């Protein structure tokens, strides 16, 4: 078979409180080495991992150690004095103090006023910088708007939440995630520091090239791809640095479909899960977004087309796991030429 005839691997699954209801696997995790996709193939979850960070923070909210409307500066004092531009489209615009206190609700709903990643981070590796250091650099950045007034997707905001989890819990972010979620849920291949053995099972990312009619292999985004994945110097990237497998994600999805508990262990309440997927952006903001989640269902998509969706009413979760950038070849359909009337 010609490499161009092959397709990146795709895993789909439907999960209920009783476990996996439907499951299918097709395609390749690594076309170059003829390695098929499998339920233990390691996948870069990218922004699908935002749900984990948000859920971890909401665990602390349930424990009354923080609230969504706690001012970020109460946990991270360097966010006390913030500044914003008066015109995001003008680099020479005046900079003024922010009047609205920044809260964790703002961070989790992408209404903080921070851009995706401030300029210093745009083309640099994030994971060699600790969450503590990152948070100081974010606080020193120029915000684009008053908190709560505009929707602007921001990994920086989610990373700040990760740092707050460290300060509130007294644990490193990745340790908190492992101790409170990954280990209890038997998510043995999930985390932010893949091992040598796990990297032998990692899927490549692919993008279809119309120019060459072939699939092109990619690394993760620049902010994730410079340090070796198994480097001891690698720090967690809360907004998009999670790696997992279909097998592990099914365990997580089952817990969510079951309303926040699994095998007799309580993780979080269904009420809190519903709050996560409720519209949190202000009525004046057209874009609907929850707390690290889409609205209407609990879950999130990722840069390489991963997707987790949990319907809390139906108690059913769906997983779509692939490592693909852009469209499938059949989606590139040329428009029919328009016929101009006489």
């Amino acid at each position: 078979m010609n490499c161009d005839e092959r397709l990146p691997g795709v895993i789909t699954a439907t999960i209920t409180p009783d476990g996996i209801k439907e499951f299918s696997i097709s395609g390749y995790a690594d076309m170059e080495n003829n390695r098929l996709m499998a339920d233990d193939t390691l996948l870069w979850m990218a922004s699908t991992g935002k749900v984990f960070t948000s859920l971890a923070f909401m665990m602390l909210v349930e424990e009354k150690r923080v609230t969504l409307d706690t001012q970020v500066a109460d946990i991270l004092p360097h966010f006390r004095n913030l500044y914003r531009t008066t015109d995001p489209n003008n680099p020479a615009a005046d900079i003024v103090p922010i009047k609205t206190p920044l809260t964790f609700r703002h961070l989790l709903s992408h209404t903080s006023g921070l851009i995706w990643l401030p300029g210093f981070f745009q083309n640099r590796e994030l994971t060699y910088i600790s969450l503590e250091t990152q948070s100081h650099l974010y606080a020193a950045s120029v915000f684009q708007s008053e908190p709560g007034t505009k929707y602007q997707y921001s990994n920086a905001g989610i990373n700040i939440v990760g740092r707050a989890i460290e300060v509130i819990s007294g644990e490193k972010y990745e340790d908190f995630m492992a101790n409170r979620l990954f280990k209890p849920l038997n998510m043995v291949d999930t985390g932010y520091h893949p091992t040598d053995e796990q990297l032998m099972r990692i899927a490549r990312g692919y993008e279809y090239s119309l120019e060459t009619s072939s699939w092109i292999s990619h690394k993760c985004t620049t902010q994730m791809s410079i340090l070796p994945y198994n480097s001891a110097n690698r720090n967690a990237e809360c907004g998009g640095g999670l790696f997992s497998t279909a097998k592990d994600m099914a365990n997580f999805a089952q817990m969510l479909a079951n309303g926040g508990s699994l095998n007799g262990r309580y993780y979080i309440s269904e009420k809190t899960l519903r709050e996560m997927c409720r519209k949190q952006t202000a009525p004046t903001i057209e874009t609907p977004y929850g707390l690290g989640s889409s609205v209407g269902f609990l879950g999130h998509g990722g840069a390489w087309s991963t997707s987790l969706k949990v319907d809390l009413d139906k108690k059913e979760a769906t997983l779509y796991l692939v490592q693909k950038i852009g469209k499938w070849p059949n989606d590139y359909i040329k428009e029919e030429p328009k016929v101009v009337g006489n």
Side-chain angles (χ1 to χ4, degrees):
M1 179 183 287
N2 188 300
C3 181
D4 296 348
E5 297 174 331
R6 301 180 183 184
L7 294 175
V10 177
I11 298 176
T12 60
T14 303
I15 300 103
T16 69
D18 294 326
I20 297 174
K21 180 180 176 182
E22 298 174 356
F23 192 84
S24 69
I25 304 179
S26 62
Y28 288 79
D30 184 339
M31 298 186 201
E32 289 79 356
N33 293 297
N34 296 320
R35 181 161 51 85
L36 294 170
M37 188 73 100
D39 64 358
D40 66 347
T41 296
L42 193 69
L43 307 167
W44 177 43
M45 300 307 298
S47 287
T48 302
K50 285 181 170 65
V51 177
F52 288 84
T53 302
S54 178
L55 192 145
F57 183 82
M58 295 304 289
M59 285 177 158
L60 296 173
V61 170
E62 284 198 347
E63 293 167 5
K64 302 188 184 305
R65 299 166 76 176
V66 66
T67 74
L68 283 169
D69 297 314
T70 296
Q71 295 184 24
V72 177
D74 290 344
I75 307 297
L76 306 174
H78 45 286
F79 280 88
R80 188 76 61 192
N81 299 305
L82 304 174
Y83 292 83
R84 67 169 177 86
T85 178
T86 53
D87 183 358
N89 298 315
N90 179 8
D94 289 340
I95 304 300
V96 297
I98 282 178
K99 297 179 181 179
T100 308
L102 179 68
T103 69
F104 289 103
R105 191 186 302 272
H106 294 142
L107 294 175
L108 286 167
S109 63
H110 296 301
T111 58
S112 65
L114 279 167
I115 61 172
W116 179 61
L117 288 170
F120 173 83
F121 293 106
Q122 286 296 313
N123 294 304
R124 291 174 171 81
E125 172 71 70
L126 272 182
T127 58
Y128 78 89
I129 305 172
S130 69
L131 290 175
E132 179 182 9
T133 300
Q134 282 188 49
S135 72
H136 281 273
L137 291 169
Y138 297 143
S141 301
V142 176
F143 285 54
Q144 300 298 291
S145 59
E146 284 284 325
T149 61
K150 292 183 180 180
Y151 173 87
Q152 188 156 23
Y153 193 77
S154 175
N155 272 25
I158 304 300
N159 291 340
I160 294 167
V161 173
R163 173 55 184 161
I165 289 171
E166 292 187 326
V167 172
I168 296 166
S169 70
E171 296 181 76
K172 289 193 68 173
Y173 168 82
E174 50 264 57
D175 292 339
F176 183 89
M177 302 301 285
N179 293 332
R180 299 292 295 271
L181 285 170
F182 304 153
K183 290 179 181 178
L185 285 168
N186 197 31
M187 299 176 72
V188 296
D189 286 316
T190 300
Y192 304 87
H193 308 98
T195 65
D196 291 341
E197 188 278 328
Q198 289 170 336
L199 289 177
M200 293 177 68
R201 294 184 272 120
I202 197 168
R204 291 176 180 261
Y206 289 98
E207 179 178 15
Y208 189 75
S209 168
L210 280 176
E211 184 177 344
T212 63
S213 297
S214 63
W215 290 97
I216 300 171
S217 178
H218 284 273
K219 287 185 175 181
C220 294
T221 58
T222 302
Q223 293 78 20
M224 284 283 299
S225 64
I226 300 172
L227 275 181
Y229 292 150
N230 56 353
S231 170
N233 297 320
R234 196 174 186 87
N235 291 283
E237 206 280 285
C238 318
L242 186 69
F243 293 86
S244 190
T245 65
K247 190 183 297 184
D248 283 5
M249 287 298 296
N251 292 349
F252 181 63
Q254 184 180 359
M255 179 271 289
L256 297 177
N258 199 43
S261 62
L262 190 64
N263 297 327
R265 182 177 179 124
Y266 175 91
Y267 293 89
I268 199 162
S269 71
E270 183 174 333
K271 179 181 178 182
T272 296
L273 295 178
R274 290 183 180 277
E275 182 69 14
M276 288 173 61
C277 57
R278 182 180 70 81
K279 185 178 185 292
Q280 300 289 335
T281 49
T284 54
I285 298 175
E286 184 176 345
T287 304
Y289 194 83
L291 301 169
S293 172
S294 298
V295 170
F297 62 85
L298 183 63
H300 210 289
W304 282 4
S305 304
T306 53
S307 174
L308 165 68
K309 295 182 178 181
V310 184
D311 187 322
L312 294 170
D313 291 328
K314 294 182 178 179
K315 294 187 177 297
E316 187 174 274
T318 57
L319 287 172
Y320 178 76
L321 303 175
V322 63
Q323 301 285 260
K324 176 187 67 68
I325 304 165
K327 300 178 180 179
W328 293 102
N330 290 342
D331 292 333
Y332 288 100
I333 301 174
K334 294 181 180 180
E335 290 187 5
E336 293 291 332
K338 295 181 180 179
V339 179
V340 180
N342 293 331

